[in-house]
Amino acid sequence: MKIYADNAATTKMSKTAIAAMMPYMEEYFGNPSSLYTAGQKAKEAIESARATVAELIGADPREIVFTSGGSESDNQAILSAAALGRAAGKRHIVSDGIEHHAVLHTLKKLEREGFEVTYLPVHENGIVRPEELENALREDTCLVSVMYANNEIGTVQPICEIGARCRQRGILFHTDAVQAVGHIPINVAKDHVDLLSASAHKFHGPKGVGFLYARRGVKLSNLIEGGAQERGKRAGTENVPGIVAMSAAMREAVEKMDENAQKLITLRDYLIAGLSEIPHSALNGDAARRLPSNVNFCFEGIEGESLLLLLDDLGIAASSGSACTSGSLDPSHVLLAIGRVHDVAHGSLRLSLGEDTTREEVDYIVESVKNVVEKLRSFSPVWRDLTAGKTKFYL
Ligand SMILES: *Cc1c(COP(=O)(O)O)cnc(C)c1O
């Protein structure tokens, strides 16, 4: 069996999205800034995609800037809000500890430039508390950045409550909605969002394209200077096929959202129930307020990396929260933020299901994880000490 259970990392492009982009590579490949027909066709396609994307999140087309993806959108949103804050003498930002590195590293850069950042706790369930946000807001707060849904543990934040509190105080609110767009309902007006980041490859669109929503009146600073594309907010010849494919993928995802979510929630909870039978294991993140596709577990006494490699041998593509593969031995900052100790956080596994995941596949995953965890524990000196009572179990 070959099972792809890493849809939070990236998704397979949908047939609809591939079909939508083809004419803009073969026929209407002209530069959208050119005046002849092929260029104008490309220009029209971009504007039509902008209208679609805007409509699907309750925005106005003029509020959408196409970018190269989630990371660029996060950078531009946060740096723009910081520039506005700096100009007004406000240098305080509120965020939380489980943001994506595209947000966290941008905030670190601003801290080095004299900004002060308050990181809200996310507690054991991985969710920010709106009343704690309220207490963190100050006279000099220029931005609140809290993600819509977390990429590792799938927890969905109380975005509407956070947005309302920010709007009431006139503080800009940015949300990294990369994991949420196309998966759970989003309306920027209802949620009181000022800036929102999205990325096509997380909802069956192509890699290297995304968008930034910026509410009218919120002035963006440029990350990339050059031509006057995207109303002067993002220079560079537009990724026409990517933009067209993104809007097609997004429409399809939103149209099928309810149906897909219901199916996924059933499979997700079935998978969670199966993995919960493994002794000394625990689900990470709130059991209910999580993305329909996300399952994340810690298994005590094993290494997440070894687990992944053995699952790969069995045909299962999954992910681990720890960053050992990237040369660092630090466990996931998200798992540490929800209170997992280092040793436990190292034994993590993220399975992110897709719309075509089947019950048979879930059965195979549960069976495989059970076997692999047992095998790894049988070799593990950490597990031996735990079972011998030399060290104590956390889970
Ligand atoms: C994937 C992801 C990003 C980065 O998006 P790219 O398009 O890959 O740059 C940012 N934030 C979250 C929450 C993500 O899951």
Side-chain angles (χ1 to χ4, degrees):
M1 266 216 233
K2 277 263 172 273
I3 298 173
Y4 184 71
D6 202 16
N7 287 277
T10 196
T11 58
K12 175 172 151 176
M13 272 188 76
S14 80
K15 296 234 173 347
T16 313
I18 294 171
M21 79 197 292
M22 291 306 284
Y24 296 92
M25 296 188 284
E26 293 182 324
E27 206 173 339
Y28 308 122
F29 59 84
N31 189 316
S33 301
S34 304
L35 293 178
Y36 41 76
T37 312
Q40 286 310 296
K41 282 275 190 198
K43 175 91 193 150
E44 280 163 26
I46 293 176
E47 293 320 313
S48 162
R50 198 186 308 282
T52 301
V53 165
E55 180 206 316
L56 295 173
I57 59 162
D60 184 278
R62 284 168 295 186
E63 297 174 316
I64 304 295
V65 172
F66 293 123
T67 65
S68 68
S71 301
E72 183 183 336
S73 298
D74 283 341
N75 274 259
Q76 188 167 17
I78 292 166
L79 294 176
S80 297
L84 292 168
R86 191 185 273 122
K90 297 180 176 184
R91 288 168 171 268
H92 177 241
I93 296 173
V94 178
S95 188
D96 61 82
I98 63 169
E99 293 294 311
H100 190 272
H101 284 135
V103 167
L104 290 178
H105 292 175
T106 307
L107 293 175
K108 280 279 164 288
K109 180 158 98 175
L110 289 170
E111 284 181 276
R112 289 193 295 271
E113 292 173 10
F115 280 80
E116 193 187 326
V117 182
T118 301
Y119 296 93
L120 297 171
V122 294
H123 308 279
E124 215 182 312
N125 66 354
I127 295 175
V128 165
R129 295 187 185 157
E131 57 286 4
E132 290 182 342
L133 167 90
E134 182 93 49
N135 293 336
L137 298 177
R138 311 195 312 213
E139 280 305 308
D140 63 341
T141 308
C142 63
L143 170 69
V144 170
S145 183
V146 174
M147 70 203 314
Y148 217 109
N150 184 266
N151 46 304
E152 288 187 36
I153 56 173
T155 49
V156 179
Q157 301 298 336
I159 292 302
C160 186
E161 286 93 321
I162 295 171
R165 281 169 162 87
C166 294
R167 186 62 56 83
Q168 199 179 20
R169 298 233 198 171
I171 297 168
L172 288 180
F173 174 40
H174 165 248
T175 186
D176 173 339
V178 172
Q179 290 290 331
V181 171
H183 300 282
I184 55 175
I186 288 181
N187 184 296
V188 288
K190 272 198 212 133
D191 287 340
H192 317 285
V193 172
D194 297 301
L195 295 152
L196 176 142
S197 309
S199 177
H201 76 100
K202 303 291 175 77
F203 52 82
H204 305 284
K207 292 165 185 59
V209 61
F211 67 88
L212 172 59
Y213 155 82
R215 190 172 58 79
R216 275 192 89 175
V218 178
K219 190 175 176 295
L220 292 179
S221 326
N222 289 42
L223 296 184
I224 301 173
E225 301 291 350
Q229 292 92 351
E230 297 301 292
R231 301 163 75 88
K233 295 304 171 202
R234 207 276 186 180
T237 303
E238 300 88 336
N239 175 0
V240 185
I243 289 167
V244 170
M246 170 166 66
S247 79
M250 191 166 158
R251 182 176 290 290
E252 191 178 31
V254 172
E255 276 168 2
K256 292 192 186 154
M257 187 183 283
D258 289 346
E259 188 191 325
N260 284 335
Q262 270 186 355
K263 186 198 136 178
L264 281 169
I265 288 169
T266 306
L267 284 179
R268 177 196 72 191
D269 293 344
Y270 179 59
L271 175 54
I272 290 173
L275 295 180
S276 298
E277 289 171 6
I278 297 174
H280 304 286
S281 71
L283 177 70
N284 293 312
D286 197 90
R289 290 171 64 183
R290 66 192 304 130
L291 290 168
S293 56
N294 178 285
V295 174
N296 189 313
F297 264 80
C298 278
F299 304 104
E300 201 156 4
I302 62 158
E303 280 287 343
E305 301 301 303
S306 323
L307 178 57
L308 282 191
L309 294 176
L310 293 181
L311 287 178
D312 185 35
D313 285 344
L314 295 170
I316 301 170
S319 159
S320 159
S322 66
C324 304
T325 41
S326 55
S328 134
L329 278 169
D330 295 338
S332 148
H333 66 287
V334 175
L335 297 179
L336 295 181
I338 62 168
R340 296 287 181 223
V341 298
H342 276 241
D343 281 354
V344 171
H346 268 304
S348 69
L349 174 69
R350 177 186 72 185
L351 295 153
S352 39
L353 309 181
E355 292 73 14
D356 46 11
T357 306
T358 64
R359 209 175 170 85
E360 291 67 47
E361 289 181 336
V362 172
D363 284 331
Y364 180 75
I365 293 174
V366 171
E367 186 64 29
S368 305
V369 175
K370 279 183 178 168
N371 290 339
V372 169
V373 168
E374 200 176 297
K375 182 166 162 185
L376 288 172
R377 280 176 173 170
S378 72
F379 305 147
S380 160
V382 176
W383 183 252
R384 201 176 47 225
D385 287 352
L386 284 165
T387 47
K390 282 196 198 150
T391 50
K392 73 175 180 64
F393 282 108
Y394 285 98
L395 305 180

